[in-house]
Amino acid sequence: MTNFQIISAIFIGLAAGYVGSFMILRRMALVGDALSHVALPGLAIAILLNINPFIGAFATLFIGIVFVWLIENKTELSTESLIGLIFTVSLAIGFLITPESELLEALFGDISKISAVDAYLSVIFSAILILAMRGISKGFILSTISHDLARASGVKVAKLNFIFLLLVAIAVALGIKAVGSLLMGALVIIPAITSRSITSSLRGYTIASALIGLISLLGGMAIAAKFNLPPGPIVILASSALFLVSLLFSKK
Amino acid sequence: MSIKNVNILSMGEEILKVEKLSVEFYGQKVVENVNFSLKRGEVLAVVGPNGSGKSVLFRALLDLVPYSGKVTWQKGIITGYVPQKLAVEKDFPLTAGEFMALRGARPEKETEKALEDVGLHKKNKGYEWLLDKKMGQLSSGQLQRLLIASSLTGKPDVLLFDEPTAGIDIAGEETIYGLFRKLQASAELTVILISHDLSVVHDFTDNVLGLNRKQIFFGRPHEVLDHKLLHHLYGEEVERHHHDRDISVL
């Protein structure tokens, strides 16, 4: 593995695990999974226009989160089913417009192609993401456990939810290069559920989730590189293996 | 010190006035034409059957739902809200101590004082243990205490307390009402509470508001809590209440 790959994996793993821990507390596992599919058409467009895939993925993800936010905050519609619909549609569109030669990479990622620019982008955005998430975490947790209590305490819940979704979009866009749009959802979900079964405080849970994200991504990539396997699926299998191990140490 | 004096002097002034308050959900009136006022240092109980709009009234007072009519708080009044329950599963990774720190960075002394006010003293055995416990694993009494302590850290003038339906067994002999009485004396607190226990309401409160979508009554407990008005408020339910429990105090 190159230094660029290692640095990217460290930061993306931390950021995905950290933001994922908060998604799980909101029961947003499926939203995260579906949202990662929205990146696919963006990736395809970026490939066709020959621009950085991070930008393309983030552009469609941004549209995706605006959509989620509007459903959650401005309508009474059932979020789950509509998200399921729109996101499979975007997967279908993405599948159609992605050039066939690039399709596998878009779906499953290829961190071996990470450039210096990608690595710098990963470091900068991961750092911003972690700091911003830390900044909104108190209000976020308060509004998760009681919407009314949060609002009565002066938390601007709708605004905070939008910032949160924005951070999720950044995490997904960052991770796609590494594990692809099909599997990115797993990289935000699995470290969090692993961490949840072995920790009891919020602090412990979020930090452990970030570290497990890092170990999964870096470890999975190292194993994939050694045995010449595709990194995306190996990363997910590595994180799932950690989850199974965590069950042995479960605090319940 | 001077602030305390001002509060004592201003005891009895009107700090909340509610006029023609109505709340509508999907074209259906859930609270209709409520009128009352509240003076500093008073305890007001809101009573009524399940689904009568008590919690909605609270949310309107806190400006959490759209309403029509007028809710006028005196300028600069800080409200503290104690919700009925929290959405925390048993394994939600949040300790009681972390919960206390959620409402912004407050000096540790202030948090300790609030915990002391609800009977959780730092010196007590089990203090650290309780603060390290997960929120989802607290007993309902412990949870109530923490919720109240959390709302007290904001130094509220008025506490809005939404009592859970189930009577809570606050550890030991002290009831939640005894706690309020003490708080009222030490912090000059005004309290609005939703209550399900009419005998406590009778003993403890200055005014009672009977709500069943519409305002059924408002006044001193010994004036309004008579059998006829209660029958009007609860319908058949109060009859059952009468047989099941001793309401001789009424």
Side-chain angles (χ1 to χ4, degrees):
Chain A
M1 290 200 289
T2 67
N3 286 343
F4 287 144
Q5 287 172 355
I6 293 172
I7 290 169
S8 302
I10 288 172
F11 276 82
I12 294 172
L14 284 173
Y18 190 62
V19 80
S21 70
F22 290 93
M23 292 178 73
I24 291 299
L25 294 184
R26 272 281 169 90
R27 298 170 168 276
M28 281 175 63
L30 285 174
V31 173
D33 195 30
L35 203 54
S36 70
H37 300 352
V38 170
L40 189 62
L43 277 179
I45 293 166
I47 291 167
L48 293 172
L49 297 177
N50 208 12
I51 54 176
N52 191 308
F54 174 79
I55 295 166
F58 184 75
T60 43
L61 280 165
F62 186 78
I63 297 169
I65 61 153
V66 169
F67 183 75
V68 173
W69 187 81
L70 284 176
I71 299 177
E72 280 185 343
N73 291 283
K74 303 284 167 197
T75 73
E76 302 287 334
L77 297 169
S78 143
T79 318
E80 289 256 302
S81 42
L82 270 173
I83 286 176
L85 170 78
I86 297 296
F87 294 172
T88 42
V89 166
S90 61
L91 186 61
I93 294 171
F95 198 78
L96 278 176
I97 63 174
T98 309
E100 212 174 314
S101 58
E102 312 274 356
L103 193 57
L104 261 185
E105 187 193 324
L107 287 176
F108 297 108
D110 190 358
I111 202 158
S112 67
K113 287 195 179 152
I114 278 189
S115 64
V117 178
D118 291 329
Y120 295 139
L121 277 178
S122 305
V123 172
I124 293 166
F125 279 98
S126 300
I128 292 173
L129 191 156
I130 290 169
L131 290 176
M133 189 64 236
R134 224 181 105 86
I136 63 166
S137 63
K138 280 186 177 177
F140 182 85
I141 295 296
L142 196 58
S143 63
T144 303
I145 61 179
S146 173
H147 196 261
D148 281 346
L149 184 57
R151 286 185 57 205
S153 316
V155 177
K156 303 266 177 289
V157 176
K159 187 174 139 196
L160 186 137
N161 284 347
F162 188 79
I163 295 172
F164 175 66
L165 284 169
L166 197 63
L167 298 179
V168 171
I170 294 174
V172 172
L174 282 173
I176 275 174
K177 192 76 180 171
V179 295
S181 58
L182 268 192
L183 297 177
M184 186 53 208
L187 191 60
V188 286
I189 296 164
I190 300 174
I193 56 174
T194 306
S195 170
R196 188 161 177 170
S197 63
I198 55 169
T199 57
S200 51
S201 69
L202 183 68
R203 195 181 139 80
Y205 162 71
T206 50
I207 292 175
S209 182
L211 290 175
I212 294 167
L214 182 159
I215 296 168
S216 306
L217 191 53
L218 203 57
M221 277 168 50
I223 295 168
K226 187 155 170 55
F227 297 99
N228 204 18
L229 293 162
I234 301 299
V235 166
I236 301 312
L237 289 177
S239 65
S240 311
L242 287 177
F243 173 66
L244 289 178
V245 172
S246 79
L247 290 180
L248 298 175
F249 300 97
S250 174
K251 282 195 149 186
K252 259 160 260 170
Chain B
M1 220 41 220
S2 61
I3 294 173
K4 258 193 176 149
N5 289 334
V6 170
N7 276 347
I8 290 167
L9 285 175
S10 58
M11 191 96 166
E13 68 191 329
E14 194 171 273
I15 58 169
L16 170 66
K17 193 168 178 65
V18 175
E19 294 158 278
K20 294 184 182 164
L21 176 70
S22 295
V23 181
E24 219 178 272
F25 288 151
Y26 308 108
Q28 193 120 33
K29 286 227 159 110
V30 285
V31 169
E32 199 175 340
N33 195 19
V34 169
N35 300 277
F36 68 92
S37 61
L38 183 68
K39 292 196 177 101
R40 189 180 287 274
E42 274 186 346
V43 179
L44 166 68
V46 181
V47 299
N50 288 332
S52 59
K54 303 187 295 289
S55 292
V56 177
L57 172 67
F58 261 38
R59 298 175 73 207
L61 296 180
L62 289 163
D63 204 16
L64 299 175
V65 288
Y67 58 84
S68 62
K70 250 167 94 177
V71 174
T72 320
W73 291 97
Q74 192 191 60
K75 253 203 179 139
I77 288 289
I78 300 173
T79 53
Y81 172 53
V82 184
Q84 231 178 58
K85 54 178 191 267
L86 298 177
V88 284
E89 300 115 31
K90 274 214 159 18
D91 69 334
F92 196 93
L94 180 72
T95 64
E98 285 176 325
F99 170 74
M100 285 302 293
L102 280 185
R103 295 166 36 126
R106 293 215 159 80
E108 206 167 311
K109 276 249 157 66
E110 221 171 278
T111 307
E112 276 172 22
K113 168 81 172 51
L115 286 167
E116 228 168 78
D117 282 342
V118 299
L120 298 167
H121 294 272
K122 204 177 174 186
K123 297 173 296 216
N124 285 6
K125 233 170 72 184
Y127 177 85
E128 300 285 336
W129 170 82
L130 184 75
L131 290 186
D132 281 340
K133 220 171 160 183
K134 278 189 197 179
M135 286 300 281
Q137 289 168 357
L138 298 176
S139 73
S140 52
Q142 289 166 338
L143 182 65
Q144 284 302 319
R145 273 176 198 254
L146 272 174
L147 285 172
I148 295 167
S150 162
S151 71
L152 289 177
T153 57
K155 296 216 164 118
D157 304 286
V158 184
L159 202 65
L160 287 95
F161 178 70
D162 195 345
E163 188 194 64
T165 322
I168 46 164
D169 177 28
I170 215 147
E173 64 277 21
E174 193 184 33
T175 65
I176 210 117
Y177 303 100
L179 189 70
F180 284 149
R181 230 195 258 279
K182 269 199 336 221
L183 288 174
Q184 237 187 315
S186 68
E188 293 112 30
L189 205 61
T190 309
V191 179
I192 311 179
L193 64 111
I194 289 175
S195 184
H196 305 273
D197 191 337
L198 291 179
S199 56
V200 166
V201 167
H202 190 273
D203 288 350
F204 178 70
T205 60
D206 299 302
N207 278 312
V208 190
L209 174 74
L211 189 71
N212 195 353
R213 194 169 57 86
K214 288 181 187 163
Q215 181 170 325
I216 308 294
F217 54 72
F218 173 71
R220 306 275 157 199
H222 63 271
E223 289 164 9
V224 294
L225 289 183
D226 72 26
H227 204 267
K228 207 173 123 207
L229 277 173
L230 283 176
H231 192 284
H232 187 43
L233 179 66
Y234 287 96
E236 291 306 309
E237 224 176 301
V238 77
E239 301 294 340
R240 211 172 60 230
H241 197 81
H242 198 150
H243 292 301
D244 285 353
R245 293 176 55 182
D246 177 23
I247 54 161
S248 56
V249 67
L250 300 175

